[in-house]
C-alpha cells in the first residue's frame, strides 16, 4: 500500500471521526421576519454554502411578523428541541440592527446553538433549555470579507456567516468570541399559576393556520384540577382588563370528540392547554389574538 | 494492509451497496395544510434529521387549504411521478387526527411511498400509479420516543418519524406494520367521459398562481373530437346545476397564440384540457372555482 | 491489496478530484413566479433529483409577481453574487412560453450559470456580472424524456432538467448547445446619474417585507454629494411625470438613528441609497411603488 493511498484513507478516517466527535452537526436552521418574496433568505444561504458545501440548510419560518421579537422567541421554543443536538439556529428579527444590541451565540444545555441579536429572542429557550454558555460574536473575525461598508444586513454578513462557520467546524464555539455572563435580554410575560380553584396564564401565540388558541398552561399544571375527558372547562379570555370571551367547553382528547363547529379544550402538541373549534377558527370567531397582553383563566366545576 | 483499514473499506463498500440495493433513496418530500408561519413543518424536519442526517428533505406544498383532503390528493397526483422511484412522501391533511382513521404507508406500483392518514388523500395516486402494497403503521414501534402523551401531532411523531426511518433504511417497508387489503378510502368525483359529440368532466383544481382552469379531461380523450389548433371550442362550466360560464375560445398550442386578455383552450403540463386568459386570470374574471361540484362540458362545431 | 480494492479507492479518488476540478458545484437555485401553493416547484425539484441525488437544491423566491420579468431580473441581481462560483440558477418567469423566445444558459464572468428564457430576465446580471458566454439550449438533447407532448412546462422539462444535468456534471457547459452572440434581451431603465447638484435615478424594487424604498443610486455616486450622517437629504419621488412624494429626512447610519415613525435615508445591504421609516412602511404610507416608471431625485443643502 503506497504512502499517498495511506494518507488518503487516514485523512478520510480522520474526517469521519472529527465529524462524529464535533459538537456541531453541519445543520443550520434559519428564522427571520424577511418573508420569502425577495432574495434576502437566499443570500444568507448562498453565503453559508460559500463557507462549506457540506452544510445542510433548513428553514424554521421567515414569516415572523415584522419586528415581532416575542414571536421569534416563541417559534424557537416550539421547534429547537425537535432538532438533533449540535444543530445551529440563526434567528434574525432585529429592529435594532446597527445599534448597540449584542450579537451573540447561545449554547443551550441541550447542545443546540442559536445565533441571534440578544434583544429578547432568547427569552423562552434560555428558560426552557437552559444556558450552557453565551458568547459575543467577535465581528473583527466572524464577518464576511468585504462586508464592512454594509451597515444593515447583519443577517447575511455576520449571523449566517458565523453560523455556517460554526456548523461546518471552521471555527469552534470558543472562536465565536468572548464569553458573556449567563443571562439574556428577557421579555416579561405572565407565567402560568394556580390561583385557588382556577389557573391563570397567557396566550403566547395562536396556531395561526387553524386559529386555535394556545396557552402557556402546561398539562402538568392543568392536571392539578383533576380533569377527566368530557368535563366542562370554564374559560375566560381577557385583553388587558377587558373580557373578550367567556364560555364553557368539554375537555376532549381529540378534535373529533365534539361536533363540527363546537369548541373544545385540549392538550396541544407542546403539551399545553389549548382551545379550538372543530373544523373552525376560534381566534377569528371570538376575536382572540395573542401576546403578553392576552390572559386566560380556566376552572372546572 | 492492516485489519482496521480492511474493515473500514469493507464497511464503506457495504454501505454503498446497501444504498444502491435499497428500494428507498433517502429522499423525503413533505406536504401539509400547516402553512409556513409557525414551527410545525420545521419540527417534522428536525425529527427526520434526528433519525438520519443523510436524508434529503424537500417540500411539495404546505399551503393546502385547511382540511382540504381533495386538494392534498390532487397535489400528490400532480407531483409524485416526477420524483425518482424510492422517494418517500409525507402528506398530513388530517381533520380526523386522533380518531379511528388508519395511518398507512402506500407503496405505488411506480415504487413511490406515501405516508399519510388514509382519509381520501390517496384517492388519485392509488388510481393512477396503482397500489403495490399498503401497510398500517404499527405505532407501538414507529412512533417518536416520549411522544405518547401528545395526541394531536401525528405529523411529527408518527408520519415524519416513520417516513424518515423508511427513507433512511432504518426500517424496511415490511417493518412499517401489517399488510392491509389493496384498497384506499376514495373521494367520489366525476370522471371524464365522451357523451355524444361533447365531453363531460370536472375541474379538479385551478392553477392557483395564474387562475387557469384545469379539467380532468385528458388530451387523448379530447383528441377523439379531432381538434385542430385554431378550432373554436365551446365551453360550459357549471357549479352543481347552475351555469357559471358559457363561451367560445380557440384551441391554441401556446398562450401567445391569442391576443392579451383573450381566452384560449390548451393542453396543460399534465396533458389535460385547460382554459386560460393570455396574461389574465380566468378563474377570477369568470368566478370559476374547483372541486367535485364544478363540472365542465366541451364540444367543437 | 487486491485489485478490486485498488479500483474502488482509485475510483473514489477520481470522483473526488473530478468534483473539485469541475466548474459546476452541484448546487441549483430555483426562482419562478409559480408561488408555493401547488406542485410545480416540487415537480422541478423531483426532475432534478432524478438526474442526480447528489445535487443540493435551494430556492431564491417563487413569489415573483406573475409575468414580472423586471423583478425576476432584479432578484437575480440582488442574490447571485452571494452564492459560490459554479452555482447554477434556474429562473422561470416566462409569459412567452411556447413562442419563439430563446432558451439559454448564461455563464457570467463571475462563474455563475443562469438557465432561463432570454426575455429580459438577464438584463441586470449581464450588466453587473458580465457575460462570459451564452449558449442556446439544444432541446433535442436537453429535454426530459417523454416530455415532447407537453408544450407549457418548460420550467420542469427543459430548464430544471438542463440545470440539473449541468450542475451534476452530466453535461459540460459546451454540451448545453450552440454558442450565441454575447448579448441578452434587455429591459430599458433609468440609470443613476449626477445632474448638477442633484442625483437622478429610479426605484427598481421595494424591500417588500418592510416597505423600504430602494433606489439604483450607488453609495459611491451619492458620496459625490459629500454627505455626512445627520445631513438633511431632499427627496422627490415621481411616477412618470407626477410628483408622488417630496420631503426631507436625515442621512442615517442606522434605523435607530431616528425616532420611531420618522423617515431616514440610508445605504442598504446592496450599498444603494434607500428610504425608510423607522418601524414603519414608507411605501404604503406615501403610496410609493417600484418599476421603470418610478424615478427619484435627491440633493443635499
Amino acid at each position: 500500500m503506497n504512502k499517498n493511498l495511506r494518507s488518503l484513507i487516514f485523512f478520510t478516517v480522520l474526517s469521519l471521526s472529527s465529524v462524529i466527535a464535533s459538537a456541531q452537526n453541519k445543520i443550520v436552521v434559519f428564522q427571520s421576519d424577511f418573508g420569502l418574496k425577495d432574495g434576502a433568505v437566499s443570500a444568507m444561504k448562498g453565503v453559508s454554502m460559500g463557507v462549506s458545501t457540506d452544510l445542510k440548510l433548513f428553514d424554521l419560518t421567515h414569516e415572523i411578523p415584522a419586528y415581532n421579537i416575542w414571536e421569534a422567541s416563541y417559534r424557537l421554543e416550539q421547534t429547537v428541541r425537535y432538532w438533533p443536538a449540535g444543530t445551529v439556529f440563526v434567528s434574525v428579527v432585529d429592529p435594532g440592527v446597527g445599534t448597540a444590541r449584542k450579537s451573540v451565540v447561545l449554547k443551550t444545555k441541550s447542545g443546540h446553538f442559536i445565533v441571534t441579536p440578544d434583544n429578547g429572542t432568547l427569552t423562552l429557550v434560555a428558560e426552557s433549555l437552559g444556558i450552557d454558555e453565551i458568547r459575543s460574536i467577535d465581528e473583527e473575525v466572524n464577518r464576511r470579507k468585504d462586508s464592512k461598508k454594509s451597515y444593515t444586513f447583519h443577517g447575511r454578513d455576520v449571523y449566517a456567516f458565523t453560523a455556517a462557520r460554526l456548523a461546518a467546524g471552521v471555527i469552534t464555539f470558543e472562536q465565536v468570541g468572548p464569553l458573556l455572563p449567563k443571562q439574556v435580554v428577557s421579555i416579561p410575560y405572565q407565567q402560568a399559576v394556580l390561583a385557588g380553584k382556577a389557573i391563570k396564564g397567557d396566550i403566547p401565540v395562536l396556531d395561526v393556520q387553524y386559529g386555535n388558541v394556545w396557552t402557556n398552561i402546561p398539562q402538568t399544571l392543568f392536571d392539578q384540577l383533576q380533569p377527566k375527558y368530557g368535563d366542562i372547562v370554564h374559560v375566560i379570555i381577557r385583553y388587558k382588563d377587558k373580557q373578550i370571551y367567556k364560555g364553557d367547553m368539554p375537555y376532549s382528547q381529540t378534535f373529533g370528540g365534539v361536533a363540527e363547529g363546537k369548541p373544545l379544550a385540549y392538550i396541544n402538541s407542546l403539551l399545553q392547554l389549548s382551545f379550538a373549534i372543530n373544523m373552525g377558527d376560534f381566534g377569528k370567531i371570538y376575536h382572540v389574538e395573542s401576546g403578553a397582553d392576552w390572559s386566560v383563566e380556566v376552572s372546572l366545576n
Side-chain angles (χ1 to χ4, degrees), chain A residues 168-226:
Chain A
V170 174
I171 57 171
T172 63
F173 182 47
E174 287 68 30
Q175 289 172 306
V176 164
L179 206 56
L180 294 174
K182 288 191 183 183
Q183 64 189 56
V184 299
V185 172
S186 263
I187 300 168
Y189 71 101
Q190 174 64 49
Q191 303 267 351
V193 291
L194 184 64
K197 294 196 160 185
I199 294 174
K200 292 183 176 184
D202 72 3
I203 302 173
V205 81
L206 300 187
D207 183 4
V208 281
Q209 184 78 345
Y210 305 99
N212 302 335
V213 170
W214 287 10
T215 77
N216 68 338
I217 299 169
Q219 182 176 20
T220 48
L221 182 59
F222 185 59
D223 280 349
Q224 296 189 21
L225 300 183
Q226 300 186 292

Side-chain angles (χ1 to χ4, degrees), chain A residues 20 43 102 126 162 170-171 173 236 248 253 255 281 290 293:
Chain A
I20 293 159
K102 277 177 293 200
T162 300
V170 174
I171 57 171
F173 182 47
I236 298 169
D248 292 347
Q253 189 173 354
F255 280 42
D281 187 316
S290 64
D293 291 328

Side-chain angles (χ1 to χ4, degrees), chain A residues 53-88:
Chain A
T53 57
D54 287 342
L55 293 173
K56 295 156 199 292
L57 309 183
F58 298 93
D59 300 301
L60 203 168
T61 179
H62 297 284
E63 306 287 351
I64 299 286
Y67 311 125
N68 191 330
I69 295 167
W70 171 261
E71 191 159 323
S73 177
Y74 192 78
R75 295 304 172 204
L76 289 171
E77 170 69 5
Q78 185 188 14
T79 308
V80 167
R81 68 190 68 209
Y82 296 106
W83 287 84
T87 299
V88 178

Side-chain angles (χ1 to χ4, degrees), chain A residues 108-143:
Chain A
T108 65
K109 288 189 173 161
S110 56
H112 299 95
F113 299 88
I114 302 165
V115 182
T116 183
D118 182 27
N119 58 9
T121 296
L122 296 169
T123 300
L124 294 169
V125 286
E127 274 181 39
S128 65
L129 301 180
I131 299 174
D132 186 50
E133 281 187 6
I134 308 180
R135 291 180 178 276
S136 174
I137 298 175
D138 177 356
E139 296 189 13
E140 288 303 308
V141 182
N142 295 306
R143 187 186 186 107

Side-chain angles (χ1 to χ4, degrees), chain A residues 19-54:
Chain A
V19 170
I20 293 159
S22 165
Q24 300 96 293
N25 63 8
K26 297 196 184 299
I27 299 175
V28 185
V29 181
F30 294 87
Q31 168 172 281
S32 75
D33 59 357
F34 299 163
L36 294 170
K37 289 183 183 166
D38 69 11
V41 171
S42 190
M44 291 199 298
K45 291 182 179 171
V47 164
S48 301
M49 279 290 109
V51 168
S52 167
T53 57
D54 287 342

